[in-house]
Amino acid sequence: MDAKISFIINSKKLQQNKIKPWYNISAEETLKQLDSSADGLSLQEAARRLATDGLNELKEVKKNNALHIFFSQFKSLIIWILIVAGIISGALGETIDAIAILAIVILNAVIGFYQEYSAEKSIEALKKMTAPQAKVKRDGQVVSIPATEIVAGDILFLESGDLVAADARLLSAASFKCVESALTGESEAVIKQPATLELNNIPLADRENIIFMGTSVATGTAQAAVYATAMNTELGRIAGLIEEAGSDERTPLEKKLESFGHILIWATLGIVILLFGLGLLRGKDILELFMTSVSLAVAAVPEGLPAVVTVSLALGVLRMSRRNALVRKLPAVETLGSTTVICTDKTGTLTVGEMTVRALYVSGKIYSVTGEGYGPEGKIIFDGNKTESIHAKPLLELATNLIGCNNANLKNEDGIWKVIGDPTEGAMLSAGIKAGGNQEQINKEMPKQYEFPFDSDRKRSTVVRKMRDGKFRVLTNGGPGILLQLCTHLYTSEGIRELTDQDRVNILAETTTMAKQALRVLGSAYRDLENSSIKDLSVDEVERELIFIGLSGMYDPPRSEAKDAIKKCNDAGIHVVMITGDHPDTAAAIAVEIGITSKVDKAVSGVELEKMSDEDLSKNVSNISVYARVTAEHKLRIIRAWKKNDAIVAMTGDGVNDAPAIKGADIGIAMGKTGTEVTKQASDMIITDDNFATIVAAVEEGRGIYYNIRKTLQYLLAGNTGELLLMTACVIIGLPAPLLPIHLLWINLVTDGLPALCLATDKIDSDVMKRTPRKRSKKITDGSFFLTMLLTGFLTAGVAFAVYLYILQNQSTQTARTYAFAVLVFAELLRSFGARSETKYVWQISLFTNINLVMVVALSFGLQILSQHWNVLGVFLKTTYMPFSDVIILIALGTIPLLALEVTKIVKKHFRETKKI
C-alpha cells in the first residue's frame, strides 16, 4: 500500500482511536498502529504527514474587533426604543429632544464599550502553553524542531523542565514525573511509566503511560510516541470546549431588562394607538394627535434607565476593584449578586495549590507544621506550643533527610515562593528548613556523591553524601511500609536502638492516622557506609539495614480564609460545590474540613459521572457537593446541569481544565496570581489576591447593585406611570396636553434621571447577605413592585391633574402646564428619599449616607424654581412666572406621594409580622 494512503487511513483511525484507548495498547502495538518505529519517522514521511494533518497548533477563534464590541452595546430593546423616539423627535423638529435622547444612547454605549474592550484570547492563551521547540527522532537521529511541526508517529525525547508538545504514549521512562495540575487538577507531580494499563475508562489523571500537550516534565527522562496533535489532543479538546461553552449568553439582568422592554413597548403602543384612534373619532388634527402620541411615548419610556444601569454597574466595578475583584464584563457584577451556586475547583482555589508538610513524626512524638505553600515561613508546633530546645536535635535529624535526599530548590519571585523541581520534594525542602535544616550548609558539609532516583517499583529515592570524616551517609525517603522492611534500627532522642515489632506497629499506626487526614505520608531513614568505592555498590546493597528516623505527612492545604468564606456562602443561601481532578478521598476530606459538607460523603468520580445521562445528572446535581477525578468536559456538564435547575451558577478556578466551565457558567471567576492566562481570558471576573473570601465580598457587592437597580427602576417607572396617567386622562377628557415633550424629557432625564443615578449608587444595605438568593426565573418586577409603582404613579398623576385642572379654569394653558410641570417635578424629587429602601422608613435613613442625592435634589429644586423666574431657562422649558407662595403650596402637595409610599411600607411591615405570628 502507498505510504501516503496508509498514513491517511491510520491518521483517521489513530488520532481519534475508537477501538481501544492508547493506554490499553502496548508500546510495540502503539508504534505498529502509528506506522512508526523506535528510530522515528523519515524526513520525507514526516513532511507528508504534516501536509496531511496540518501544523501542531490550536485553532484560533475569530476575535471580536473594537467595532463589533461597540455595536454590541446596542442589542437592548430599550436602547432601540430610545433610538426610534429620538429619530421621530428629530423628524418633527424637536431637535433638543432628539439630541438629548440620542446623547443618552451614545453615552451608554461608550461606557459599556470602555469596560468590555478586551478581545477574547482564550485560544491564543492556550497556544502560549505549548512548547516552542521539541526533540524528536527523524531518520534515526535526535533533532530539535519547532513543536508546530510534530506529527503523529514522531518519537519525543523528554527531560526535566521540558514542556510536552503533543499527546503521546510512553515507550520508555526513567524516574519520570509530570506536573499536570493545570490540566487535571492533580496537585502532585505524577509518576509516569510505560507499562500497558489493563483497566478500562481510566480517568485522565490516572493514565500513567500517557503524557499530554501543555504539561511539563518535573523529573527524569522519557521517550514517547506521538498519537495526537493540535485539536486532537486533550488540550485541543479543551480549546474546543471553551469555544463551545463561550457562546455569548446574556446575563440574568440583561434577560430581565429585555423582558421588561418587551412589556414596555407593547403597553406603550397599545395606549398610543387607543388614544390616537379616540382622537380621530373626535375629529382632532392628525399632526396634533401625532405630537401627542410622541409625548405619550416619551412619557412611557424611562430614558434614563440604560444610563442608570450602566453607571451603576460601572461604579460597582470600581468598588469591586478596590476589594481585589477585577470585572471584565459589566453585567457580570449583578450576575454575581444573583448567584445561587458556586462551583469551585479545589487545587489552587480552595487550597493553596502547593504541597505542604503538615505533620512530622520523629522519636515517638508528633509535630504539626504551620505556614502555607513552599515558603520557609512557618513554625514547628508540639502540643500547641512552639518547640523548645529539647526537640531541636531529633527535628534536625529528620530535616537532614528531607533536605539532603532532595533535588528541588526554592525561589522567591516577586514575594511568591516557587519550587524548581518536583512539588513533593519542594514541600519536603520547605519543611526541612522550618525544622532547622540548612540546604546550603548540608550541600557544603555533605556533598552529594551518588543518587538512586525515585522509581515506581522501589517507591523510594536515595542520595549518598560524603561526610567530613570521610564516611558516606545514605539518605532515603519513600513509602513508609516498604521503607520499614529495609530498616533494622530506630532513631530516638536518646540514641539509636534496634527496631522492634512494637515499633513497627506504632509507626504504621501513625501512618494510618495521617492517611485518614488525607495526608500523603513519606518515611525517612539513613545509614552510614565505610566503603569508599560507593559507585560499585548496587541499590540493594545501599538500601538495607537502614535506621528509621520518622514520617512526614503532606497535602495541599486549604486556604486559611476558605472555611470562613464558605460559611458566609452557606449563611447567604449559596450552595458551594467542589469540582476537582484530585483523588476522591482527598477531595472529600478537604470538603469536610472547610465546611462544604458536614459529613464524610463519598465524592462522585468522573467514571461515575460518565455513567450518568444528562437527565440523571440534572435530577441529582443538587444532592452532590463534591466531584473528584473529573475532566474539563465533566465540569462543563455539571455547570449545565445546575443551570437546568434554574440556578445562577458561578464557576471559579485557575487551571486550563477549568476554562470551559468558567466560560460556560453564568459568571466565570479566575484566580489572578495562580490562574493560567487561558482561565483569565475565559472569565468574567478575576480575583487578584486568589482569595476565595474575595468572591463572597463580590457577591455582597453584586447583590447590593441588584437591589439598587430594582429600587431605581421602581422609582423611574412610578414617575413614568404618573406622567402617562396624567397625559392619558387629559387626552380622554379632551383637555389640552398638560405636558409638552420638553417637559417630559426634562423630568425623565434630569428630575428623575439624576436622582436615579444617586439611588443606583446608594450604600448597600447591611442585611443584603441575609436575604434568600433569587432564582433565575424570578423577574426583577413582581406584584409588590407593580403595586407600589401604580399607587405612587396614580397619586403623582392625581396631584398634578388636580393642579392642572384648577389653574386651567382661571389662567392660560401655558400657565397651567407650568404648574402641572412644577408639582410633578417636586413630587418626584421628594419621592426619591422614600425610594431609597423598600422596607426602611424615610426617617430611619440618614441623609448623609447619600449626600449626592441631597445635592442633586437641591440643585433640581433650584433649577425648577429658577425656570419660573429666569427668562432664558423659562423659554427653554416653556414655563411662565410663578409666585413663591404658590411654589410652597406645590411643594406641600408634592409630599403626598412620598407620604403614601411611607404608609405602604408600614402596611407591608404589618402584614409581614402578622405572617410570622
Side-chain angles (χ1 to χ4, degrees), residues 284-588:
K284 288 201 171 186
D285 181 64
I286 292 180
L287 183 59
E288 183 185 345
L289 280 173
F290 195 78
M291 287 297 294
T292 303
S293 298
V294 171
S295 296
L296 284 170
V298 172
V301 178
E303 285 86 355
L305 179 59
V308 164
V309 171
T310 303
V311 170
S312 175
L313 294 175
L315 291 177
V317 168
L318 183 61
R319 288 198 299 269
M320 289 171 79
S321 68
R322 294 170 185 158
R323 301 176 81 167
N324 300 311
L326 297 179
V327 178
R328 299 180 66 240
K329 298 173 185 176
L330 272 182
V333 180
E334 185 278 331
T335 308
L336 189 61
S338 308
T339 298
T340 55
V341 176
I342 297 178
C343 294
T344 174
D345 178 46
K346 177 187 74 70
T347 307
T349 305
L350 292 172
T351 64
V352 177
E354 299 169 349
M355 293 301 292
T356 306
V357 173
R358 271 288 176 261
L360 298 174
Y361 175 79
V362 60
S363 191
K365 294 181 175 61
I366 301 168
Y367 300 86
S368 55
V369 186
T370 66
E372 290 183 354
Y374 300 119
E377 300 86 1
K379 301 175 182 177
I380 308 297
I381 304 295
F382 180 72
D383 279 347
N385 299 309
K386 189 177 179 181
T387 53
E388 300 176 359
S389 56
I390 191 173
H391 303 285
K393 187 177 178 182
L395 284 172
L396 183 59
E397 198 70 43
L398 180 58
T400 302
N401 248 67
L402 296 177
I403 297 173
C405 183
N406 200 314
N407 288 314
N409 285 287
L410 301 179
K411 185 179 181 182
N412 191 320
E413 292 183 5
D414 300 323
I416 299 174
W417 285 94
K418 295 185 178 180
V419 63
I420 301 171
D422 183 273
T424 299
E425 291 192 344
M428 293 163 62
L429 177 57
S430 174
I433 294 171
K434 293 173 187 177
N438 186 305
Q439 186 181 26
E440 187 178 346
Q441 185 178 345
I442 289 173
N443 287 335
K444 183 178 179 182
E445 296 180 359
M446 299 173 62
K448 184 192 291 187
Q449 300 296 303
Y450 202 74
E451 179 177 4
F452 297 97
F454 183 96
D455 65 52
S456 55
D457 294 326
R458 288 167 46 246
K459 297 189 183 303
R460 58 186 177 273
S461 60
T462 294
V463 167
V464 181
R465 291 181 176 271
K466 188 174 185 179
M467 297 188 291
R468 284 183 173 181
D469 59 6
K471 291 182 180 180
F472 293 94
R473 174 157 290 187
V474 175
L475 305 175
T476 302
N477 293 322
I482 294 175
L483 194 61
L484 274 174
Q485 296 174 17
L486 305 174
C487 294
T488 56
H489 290 73
L490 177 68
Y491 173 86
T492 70
S493 54
E494 289 80 26
I496 298 168
R497 61 174 175 78
E498 284 192 10
L499 186 68
T500 66
D501 290 341
Q502 186 58 49
D503 290 331
R504 296 179 191 275
V505 170
N506 293 341
I507 292 167
L508 290 175
E510 189 54 46
T511 301
T512 303
T513 301
M514 287 186 181
K516 285 180 178 178
Q517 297 170 9
L519 298 179
R520 181 193 174 196
V521 188
L522 288 178
S524 296
Y526 76 96
R527 69 175 290 209
D528 292 339
L529 294 174
E530 299 288 345
N531 197 319
S532 58
S533 56
I534 188 68
K535 292 183 181 180
D536 297 332
L537 296 178
S538 68
V539 65
D540 292 332
E541 291 175 305
V542 172
E543 295 176 344
R544 65 185 181 87
E545 297 179 3
L546 298 173
I547 301 166
F548 188 84
I549 306 174
L551 302 169
S552 305
M554 67 189 76
Y555 76 142
D556 180 12
R559 292 182 177 275
S560 57
E561 66 282 345
K563 191 171 184 177
D564 289 338
I566 285 169
K567 184 179 184 302
K568 287 180 181 178
C569 286
N570 293 335
D571 292 343
I574 298 170
H575 191 139
V576 180
V577 179
M578 179 195 290
I579 308 176
T580 179
D582 215 334
H583 193 278
D585 292 342
T586 305

Side-chain angles (χ1 to χ4, degrees), residues 153-171:
D154 266 327
I155 307 301
L156 289 176
F157 280 71
L158 298 155
E159 59 186 21
S160 179
D162 285 349
L163 279 175
V164 180
D167 287 4
R169 167 68 163 85
L170 284 179
L171 303 177

